[in-house]
Every structure is written in structure tokens, then in C-alpha cells.
Amino acid sequence: MSQVITVQDTTRPVFTTAAPADVTMNCDVPLPAQPTLTATDNCSAPANVTVVATQRREDIAGACANNYRIIRVWTATDECGNTDSVRQIITVQDTTRPVFTTTAPADVTMNCDVPLPAQPTLTATDNCSAPSNVTVVSTQRREDIAGACANNYRIIRVWTATDECGNTDSVRQIITVQDTTRPVFTTAAPANVTMNCDVPLPTQPTLTATDNCSAPANVSVVATQRREDISGACANNYRIIRTWIATDECGNMDSVYQIITVQDTTRPVFTTTAPADITVDCDAVLPTQPTLTATDNCSVPVNVTVVATQRREDIAGACVNNYLIIRTWIATDECGNTDSVRQIITVQDTTRPTFTTAAPANITVNCDAVLPAQPTLTATDNCSAPANVTVVATQRREDIAGACANNYLIIRTGSPPTNVVIWTP
């Protein structure tokens, strides 16, 4: 009898160095060198145990060209063909954004009537994608500014660079558009004028304006008018301030104005005529000075006053009873404009004094007779005081034609200095 002992090698080799751990790395990082691993076997001598390293690329389903796996396998084989293997998976991915090679334009603020600058073309590169696989897409949108008017807004310009794996980067430019320009009047405001208070004010005209950004229908012109008193002036002297304010839809405003200076320069007018000039005797009673009335073109009747005055004015070279009475009426309106009328009463003394004692009767006496004393006579006057009426007595001899020397006349005369009354004895 016999025994057959069958000896066989069924045991796999054993790696004596570990496979590198699985890693994930970016596509632009060089792969690490694949290390050499060693293995031993329970029956084979070390020289008879081989380790073969392989590496393959494996695409990831649905991923881009730069996202894939590197499968590294090390297979240990003993001399009997028993094998064992280890592997390392290197996951390669593209997670880096493209980089712009041209700079986006700086943010700017510009007026609404300035044309937008052309949106430039920007370029970008990528760490893993070829230039032809990096796209830059530019967009532009308008964004209203909360609470602002239609002509105040933003233009948002965005450039988005995308590599073939969908990694993106973007830059942007903000163009702030604003309306800061005032509207412009297309019709001129009337010139400033000065006019009298009784002239009707001209109608306030309608002015128009345009704007650099707002449509004509969105530019409003509001006309206002106010009265402004002139400091220290009367009620009929004042200014009318007319203002036109043009406003665009963004609230920018411009204004023009006209000043109408109203003044009262017209004198009042008498509605009753002053009495005619007269001449009266010095003993006459002066007529009562009448009340005259006047009206004014701007003042109400109660604001037109008529003041009557009277004065005596001596006549140069004339006696005290010859003089003038000047009666004046001055009409004044509330703005101090005046007009006046007057009456001149000429007072004169044309009446002779009157003797109050009679002259002695004519007599004939003998040439040797003593002449009677010449008496003192008195007189009164209608205007002069008694002390101002004088009687002057004179006496002269007057020969009688053809008579002898002892036949003659004695002429006795009494006369006031004016208005002489002669008596002859």
C-alpha cells in the first residue's frame, strides 16, 4: 500500500507595501508618480514574486472632459500563478474658475441723454480647458432704482466666462444713469414792466419747456403769481411777481420770472370847481370858503383828502387895506399824489373918508378985520381905524384978478392924506 501526498501552492502573495490612498486632485495638478510596490509569498522566493503596475483613465459618466478617474492597479503573482491586487483611484476634477485676461470697464455715472458706451468683448483663460473651450458671454439689463424716476436707473453689464466643465466666473460693470439736467424754457418770460395802478394787468402767458430726457408730455410748467408790497410804499405801489417753474419727470426744475412794478403816479382830480377869482372892497364880508371834493384813479373816495387853506398876502407897495386872500384846496390820494386849485380874492380900499364935522361957511370980512381961527375938522373911513385917518388944514392967499391989493381970497383947506375932501371958506 502507498500514500500520495499532493503538494500545491494556492495561497496568494501578500503585498508588503500598501497602495497609495485614493485621492481627488485638480485637473491642472501633475499626477503623482506611480510607486513600486513589493509582495512576498508563502512558498515562492521573493525573486519569484512579481508585481506589475498598470494605470488607466476612466471617464466619469456625464462629466466633462476634465473630470475623470485614473485607476492604478498593482498585481502581485507568485511562481504558481496565484495573484493578488491593490489599487488606487485618483479622481481628477476641474473645479477652478476661468480667469479673465481683460479687465471689465470701471463703474460709471452718466447723464440720461449721453449714449451708452459699446459693451466691449472680454477674454478669459482656464487652467485646464483650451482657449477655444472657454466662452465669455456678455449680458446687459436695466435695473430700476427703487423710488427713483424713470430716467434714473442702472445698466448692469455682466461678462460670464465658462470653461468646458461648467466652472464660471463673472465680472460686471454698473452704469448709473441719472437725470440731473434742468428743463429748458422754449418760450421767454415777458420782460419786467412798470405800469400805473389803474391799468389792467396783462394776462399771464403760458410758457413751454423741453427736457433732454423727458418727453414733452412729462415736462410741466406751473405758473404762479403773487403780490409783494414795497417796503415803505403806499398801498397802490407794489410788485406783482409772476413765476413759471418747469419740472421734468425726475424733479429737476428751472424757473423764470417777471416783475410787474405797479405804481400810483396820477394826481387826484377835483370833481368840484374852485370859485373864480374876485375883487372885493376892504369892508366887504369875505364869502365862506366852500368845501371841494376830488376823486382818484386808484384810491377809493374815503382815501382822497381835500385840505383847504387860506392866507393873507400883502401887495408890495400897497397900503395895508390893499392885499390878497389866497385860498387853496389841496387834494391828496393815499399814495401822496397831489393836485391843487386856488382862488385869489383881491381886497382893496377905494372908498374916500367921510368928514364927521362940517367946514365953516364962506364969509366976507373987511381987510382990517381979524380972521377967525381955522377950526379942526374930523373924518372917519370905512376900513381905516380913526387913528389912521388924518385931517390936514392948509390956508393960502389967492389974489382976485383985476382987484386992488387989499381985495383977495383966503382959501382954507382940510384934507386927509388920501381920498382928499376939500372945503373952502
Side-chain angles (χ1 to χ4, degrees):
M1 99 181 266
S2 60
Q3 177 187 25
V4 178
I5 297 174
T6 303
V7 178
Q8 56 183 12
D9 185 355
T10 59
T11 301
R12 297 176 175 180
V14 176
F15 280 91
T16 55
T17 51
D22 294 343
V23 294
T24 299
M25 58 193 298
N26 210 52
C27 59
D28 59 345
V29 177
L31 291 173
Q34 188 169 4
T36 299
L37 303 186
T38 60
T40 62
D41 187 67
N42 60 336
C43 295
S44 298
N48 294 326
V49 178
T50 62
V51 177
V52 177
T54 62
Q55 176 178 295
R56 76 178 189 274
R57 172 176 169 150
E58 183 181 90
D59 291 332
I60 299 172
C64 71
N66 292 324
N67 286 357
Y68 55 91
R69 297 185 188 93
I70 297 296
I71 311 296
R72 286 178 169 177
V73 178
W74 290 263
T75 301
T77 306
D78 64 15
E79 58 190 322
C80 287
N82 296 304
T83 62
D84 194 17
S85 63
V86 293
R87 72 174 184 176
Q88 177 194 29
I89 299 176
I90 300 174
T91 302
V92 178
Q93 58 185 8
D94 185 357
T95 59
T96 303
R97 297 177 175 181
V99 176
F100 280 93
T101 54
T102 49
T103 305
D107 294 342
V108 294
T109 298
M110 57 194 301
N111 211 48
C112 55
D113 58 345
V114 176
L116 292 174
Q119 186 168 4
T121 299
L122 303 187
T123 57
T125 60
D126 188 66
N127 59 334
C128 296
S129 298
S132 60
N133 291 328
V134 180
T135 60
V136 178
V137 177
S138 60
T139 61
Q140 176 177 296
R141 75 179 190 274
R142 171 176 167 150
E143 182 181 275
D144 292 332
I145 300 172
C149 69
N151 293 325
N152 286 359
Y153 56 90
R154 298 185 188 96
I155 296 295
I156 312 296
R157 286 178 167 177
V158 178
W159 292 263
T160 302
T162 307
D163 64 16
E164 58 189 322
C165 287
N167 297 303
T168 62
D169 193 19
S170 62
V171 291
R172 72 175 184 175
Q173 176 193 32
I174 299 177
I175 301 174
T176 302
V177 178
Q178 57 186 9
D179 184 357
T180 59
T181 303
R182 296 177 176 183
V184 176
F185 280 92
T186 53
T187 48
N192 295 337
V193 294
T194 298
M195 57 193 300
N196 211 51
C197 56
D198 59 345
V199 176
L201 291 175
T203 301
Q204 185 167 7
T206 299
L207 303 188
T208 56
T210 59
D211 188 67
N212 59 333
C213 297
S214 299
N218 293 330
V219 180
S220 64
V221 178
V222 177
T224 61
Q225 175 177 297
R226 76 178 191 276
R227 171 177 169 150
E228 182 180 276
D229 292 333
I230 300 172
S231 177
C234 69
N236 292 326
N237 286 0
Y238 54 91
R239 297 185 190 95
I240 296 294
I241 314 294
R242 286 178 166 176
T243 305
W244 292 262
I245 300 175
T247 307
D248 65 16
E249 59 187 320
C250 286
N252 297 304
M253 296 186 299
D254 194 19
S255 62
V256 293
Y257 64 93
Q258 176 194 30
I259 298 177
I260 301 175
T261 302
V262 178
Q263 57 186 12
D264 185 356
T265 59
T266 303
R267 297 178 174 184
V269 176
F270 280 93
T271 54
T272 49
T273 304
D277 295 343
I278 56 173
T279 298
V280 299
D281 204 65
C282 57
D283 60 347
V285 177
L286 293 177
T288 301
Q289 185 168 3
T291 299
L292 303 188
T293 57
T295 61
D296 187 66
N297 59 333
C298 296
S299 300
V300 295
V302 296
N303 291 330
V304 180
T305 60
V306 178
V307 175
T309 61
Q310 176 178 295
R311 75 178 190 277
R312 171 177 170 149
E313 186 178 281
D314 292 333
I315 299 172
C319 72
V320 70
N321 291 327
N322 285 359
Y323 55 91
L324 303 176
I325 296 295
I326 312 295
R327 287 178 169 177
T328 304
W329 292 262
I330 299 174
T332 307
D333 65 17
E334 60 188 318
C335 286
N337 297 302
T338 62
D339 194 19
S340 63
V341 293
R342 71 175 184 175
Q343 177 193 31
I344 299 177
I345 300 175
T346 302
V347 178
Q348 56 185 9
D349 186 355
T350 58
T351 303
R352 296 178 176 182
T354 302
F355 279 95
T356 54
T357 51
N362 294 336
I363 59 174
T364 299
V365 297
N366 203 44
C367 61
D368 58 352
V370 177
L371 292 176
Q374 186 170 358
T376 299
L377 303 186
T378 58
T380 61
D381 187 68
N382 62 331
C383 295
S384 299
N388 293 329
V389 180
T390 59
V391 179
V392 176
T394 62
Q395 176 179 293
R396 75 178 186 276
R397 172 178 169 151
E398 186 178 281
D399 292 333
I400 299 170
C404 69
N406 291 326
N407 286 351
Y408 52 91
L409 300 176
I410 295 298
I411 310 296
R412 289 178 169 175
T413 304
S415 63
T418 59
N419 304 323
V420 178
V421 175
I422 299 175
W423 57 270
T424 301

